[in-house]
């Protein structure tokens, strides 16, 4: 999506949607801080960076876990009911969608309702991996700040200031990607699963996924053979594996196609104990992409 379409029209729409239901936010809090619940890592990153010391952020998906097949415990479902705000991406985690629908009421913020979505690679529904476009994340940062500011007026200036700072950092990251991927020898990225549609669309790349949106779905032998032929035909030198999913299928494809492997992180989670965050992982992704695509 061109930057001119991301702001200001998309931002205005996001703020309007984020404002809806603010008066319904409950009184959930921890030690004087607003209790905010995030479905998985990218939403926790936004909530933590925007909320700062004024919120207590918990994440439904544990560190290092693959989020697509998350099942919630009764305790977690109760947390959804009590939290001041739950931030999630509708369509990514069915268990979270169900808990929000039955427990959160209007005390939830659906990131998928705040930015334009791409169609799913399989042709059904939409692609939920919106956080891999930093320009969309910048819109979400501003929307989260506005939602928290109106829900917790005592700390409104701090929420808005932190949201502005984070949105600026995400916009700078977007600029780095656009500049770094502008003139590359290759534009095809072969990925373990179809997580990188937003990144590809934003920066003029073509994504060829080994699996669909769900990384646990293994391709058929015919699909694997077809992919190997495609990799060879496009001149792609790299098949990208992931941090939270098994690399076995992608590695087999790389061997069949005479390519190497490298890790391209879909940022669905951060391993426990890691010092990385969304910004540092995305910068690492840019470095890996530039090397694989032959960018000057």
């Amino acid at each position: 999506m061109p930057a001119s379409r991301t702001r200001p029209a998309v931002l205005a729409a996001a703020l309007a949607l984020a404002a809806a239901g603010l008066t319904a936010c409950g009184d959930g809090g921890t030690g004087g801080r607003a209790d905010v619940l995030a479905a998985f890592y990218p939403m926790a990153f936004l909530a933590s960076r925007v909320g700062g010391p004024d919120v207590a952020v918990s994440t439904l998906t544990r560190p290092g876990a693959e989020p697509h097949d998350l099942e919630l415990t009764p305790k977690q479902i109760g947390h959804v009911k009590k939290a001041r705000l739950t931030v999630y991406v509708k369509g990514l985690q069915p268990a979270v969608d169900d808990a929000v629908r039955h427990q959160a009421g209007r005390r939830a913020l659906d990131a998928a309702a705040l930015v334009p979505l791409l169609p799913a690679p399989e042709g059904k529904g939409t692609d939920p991996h919106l956080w891999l476009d930093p320009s969309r994340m910048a819109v979400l940062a501003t929307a989260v700040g506005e939602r928290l500011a109106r829900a917790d007026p005592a700390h409104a200036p701090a929420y808005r200031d932190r949201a502005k700072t984070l949105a600026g950092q995400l916009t700078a990251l977007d600029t780095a990607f656009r500049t770094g991927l502008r003139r590359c020898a290759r534009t095809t990225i072969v990925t373990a699963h179809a997580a990188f549609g937003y990144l590809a669309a934003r920066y003029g790349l073509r994504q060829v996924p080994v699996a669909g949106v769900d990384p646990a779905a293994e391709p058929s032998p015919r699909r694997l053979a077809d992919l190997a032929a495609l990799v060879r035909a496009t001149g792609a030198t790299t098949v990208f594996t992931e941090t939270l999913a098994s690399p076995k299928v992608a590695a087999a494809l790389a061997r069949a196609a005479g390519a190497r492997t490298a890790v391209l992180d879909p940022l669905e989670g951060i391993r426990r104990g890691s010092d990385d965050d969304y910004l540092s992982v995305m910068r690492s992704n840019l470095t890996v992409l530039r090397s694989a695509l032959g960018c000057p």
Side-chain angles (χ1 to χ4, degrees), residues 105-123:
R106 300 178 72 186
R107 300 184 311 279
L109 183 64
D110 173 18
L114 301 178
V115 294
L117 301 179
L118 297 176
E122 295 90 346

Side-chain angles (χ1 to χ4, degrees), residues 1 8 84 244:
M1 173 190 295
R84 175 79 63 90
L244 301 182

Side-chain angles (χ1 to χ4, degrees), residues 176-212:
F177 266 82
R178 286 191 286 115
T179 301
L181 299 175
R182 183 171 294 158
R183 295 183 298 274
C184 301
R186 294 170 293 278
T187 58
T188 298
I189 55 173
V190 183
T191 61
H193 85 290
F196 296 92
Y198 288 91
L199 187 148
R202 178 68 176 170
Y203 305 115
L205 305 177
R206 178 193 180 197
Q207 175 186 227
V208 176
V210 176

Side-chain angles (χ1 to χ4, degrees), residues 48-263:
S48 296
R49 291 292 294 268
V50 174
D54 301 315
V55 300
V57 178
S58 302
T59 309
L60 289 171
T61 306
R62 71 181 187 277
E66 204 288 321
H68 288 80
D69 299 321
L70 175 69
E71 297 293 338
L72 299 180
T73 66
K75 182 177 180 179
Q76 288 176 311
I77 294 172
H79 197 172
V80 173
K81 184 175 182 178
K82 295 177 181 178
R84 175 79 63 90
L85 179 66
T86 297
V87 187
Y88 74 116
V89 177
K90 187 176 182 180
L92 179 73
Q93 298 170 292
V96 176
D97 294 351
D98 187 65
V100 166
R101 182 168 58 253
H102 291 101
Q103 304 294 336
R106 300 178 72 186
R107 300 184 311 279
L109 183 64
D110 173 18
L114 301 178
V115 294
L117 301 179
L118 297 176
E122 295 90 346
K124 296 181 180 180
T126 55
D127 184 346
H129 298 84
L130 53 88
W131 61 91
L132 286 162
D133 175 358
S135 70
R136 282 175 166 85
M137 284 287 278
V139 172
L140 295 178
T142 303
V144 169
E146 191 63 24
R147 180 73 178 252
L148 288 173
R150 297 194 183 188
D152 182 14
H155 300 108
Y159 292 135
R160 290 183 171 123
D161 284 348
R162 287 190 290 263
K164 182 178 180 180
T165 296
L166 180 57
Q169 293 171 334
L170 291 163
T171 299
L173 178 64
D174 175 53
T175 299
F177 266 82
R178 286 191 286 115
T179 301
L181 299 175
R182 183 171 294 158
R183 295 183 298 274
C184 301
R186 294 170 293 278
T187 58
T188 298
I189 55 173
V190 183
T191 61
H193 85 290
F196 296 92
Y198 288 91
L199 187 148
R202 178 68 176 170
Y203 305 115
L205 305 177
R206 178 193 180 197
Q207 175 186 227
V208 176
V210 176
V213 169
D214 184 353
E218 293 192 6
S220 67
R222 174 64 182 271
R223 169 67 172 160
L224 201 58
D226 289 345
L227 283 169
L230 178 60
V231 171
R232 290 191 293 269
T234 60
T237 62
T238 306
V239 175
F240 293 109
T241 62
E242 300 180 2
T243 51
L244 301 182
S246 171
K248 289 175 59 177
V249 175
L253 172 59
R255 288 193 299 271
R260 62 177 178 266
T261 60
V263 174

